[in-house]
Amino acid sequence: MEFTHRYVGQSSVQHDQGGSQVSFAADTLREPTYFVGEITNHILFREAISALHRAVVSDMRLKPKDRTAYFAWLQTQTEAFLADAAVRGKVAHERLEVVKAQLSDINAKSNTIMKPFYVAQQAYFKWLYEHDRDAWIVLDPVISVHPDEIAFECFSLDESSYGRLACDLEMFDATQDVKWGVTNIDYSWTLYDAFQQIRSYRKTELRIEGDGFTTQTSGSAEVFQPKIDLPDSWVRGFLQVSAAMTQPLFTVELDPMDVHNICFMMRAKKVRVGPRSLRVQLKPGQPVEIDFEPRGDRLACPRSRYLGQEEADIRIWGRRRLLILERLIPIARGFTWRLMGSGLPSFMMADLGPMRFTLGLSGWSANDWSNTARFDLLAPRNAVPADVLRTVHGKLAEVWVTDIDSLAAACGLDRPTTLSALTLLTQQGRCIYDLDKGFWRHRELAREPLPFDTLRISSPEEESAMTIVRAGGVQVRKINHSSAGVEISGGVWENGHLYEPTVRMDNDNRIVSAKCSCSFYVHNKLHKGPCAHMLALRRAYDRDLQQGGKPNVVQGPWGNAHAN
């Protein structure tokens, strides 16, 4: 997918005796977005933006050792190895001399031909890393200027870590010009190096400059208009992060010292064999305990607080990505850890006072946010008419930030319909859920609406579920309502086999937990989303609610069964 960005000038930090000026060059092809304000807490901003940079350049993928030089040496020694092996036979030795001469001539010609290539290749990658490391970063960060905050969003190189830095407007004094909007910004290693020179005794001004912000730079500054061919996975990753944020999560409050101890344990005791995981044991009313596997070291967090009412034992893989937060530990007031489950995404949020940093991690490093994640299937899947979708999007675009109940009242809709519309807008990249404040925010990921059919992960499970429902292969056996939601169990026929799924949903029609007797669930649990039988059961339940007001449950050969 190709995106075109047009920057007037380049992002930079200018230092003089009077202070520092941080200028972000915004994408002028998008709606004008600009902001000018004086930063009140310099050290806080410097450390937070540096942590965001560490998230941008994070890459936990396995990097194979470069063995080019070894293989080149091995090729030159082949003749010597052959000579040693054949030295015992006189006849073989005489024949070897002829072959040796021929092989030597071939190697000489091959080295002559390939040497410039190997030298140029090594020099190129060395120069690229030292002088133009921006080439390794695929996507420029997204910045949002909202009525209550300014937010920076980014993805790591391996697409397994998501970073979001939100700065409340109280972080700035002498705010001059503000235009709410969303844009991409030009971000470079040079800019990061300049951030390190920010000092508390010098005035620092943040400037987000876009088209129409100033006429002086638009006529004289150099204009950069790069076309970036982004893989769909990057854009799809943003959409899956937003979908995961809307799911019910286990909440743990951690003291900064607890996070320091986690990082210290990982630094002090390196494990070279996997799988490496954090086993988080959650018990109501008791401090959180964390086991470092496979060594079995246990870390008690007496200052922590688990806010749930159910016991949970959750494993988190790819734990080294938490080291991104190290620079925030001295300045953080506290951390909030939101856990979805074992092998599922987690979010670590740092409370920095007027700033908040959110680090979103996929289930493990090799499982990025885009390839196998299907968290949108856990969200409400009710059909939303096009006019309702336009109404919800229009109201959200007017206020920029709001809660679900206020938006539903403004649109004249009920809460489930509004939530389904917001879920669909999230998958289209047109809004985002603020996990920290619990608000929905208007956020256009691109200038034009994203191609939903192209970016949406094709789910064979969802297609199979629709086929099963149309064929009448779903029977609802039992429905249990409670104050927390509803639990549905039933039978699903597929290819002559009977499967018995159970789905538990909250009051917002989100799948909280589920299980099934099929092999897909046995092997993957919910790591790759719900199976076809869970989705078919929920579709049948939703269909009956829309048609008759309540599911049609009758007595059948299996007990309480859905009447087709």
Side-chain angles (χ1 to χ4, degrees), residues 499-502 514-518 521-522 531 533-534:
Y499 301 99
E500 299 179 339
T502 299
K515 60 182 180 179
C516 186
S517 58
C518 67
Y521 174 77
V522 171
C531 68
H533 316 109
M534 301 173 187

Side-chain angles (χ1 to χ4, degrees), residues 13 90 131 177 197 212 225 333 346 359 371 379 405 432:
V13 177
K90 183 176 180 181
H131 298 87
D177 297 309
Q197 302 179 28
Q225 186 167 328
R333 299 179 179 179
S346 61
L359 177 65
N371 289 334
D405 295 324
I432 186 176

Side-chain angles (χ1 to χ4, degrees), residues 498-517:
L498 172 63
Y499 301 99
E500 299 179 339
T502 299
V503 177
R504 186 161 64 93
M505 298 184 294
D506 61 10
N507 293 321
D508 291 326
N509 203 24
R510 299 175 300 186
I511 294 181
V512 178
S513 62
K515 60 182 180 179
C516 186
S517 58

Side-chain angles (χ1 to χ4, degrees), residues 39 46 106 182 196 239 366 382 422-423 480 518 526 547 558:
I39 298 174
R46 183 189 69 195
I106 294 174
V182 183
Q196 310 311 306
L239 310 185
N382 299 335
L422 289 171
T423 301
N480 291 326
C518 67
L526 291 177
Q547 292 178 354
W558 300 338

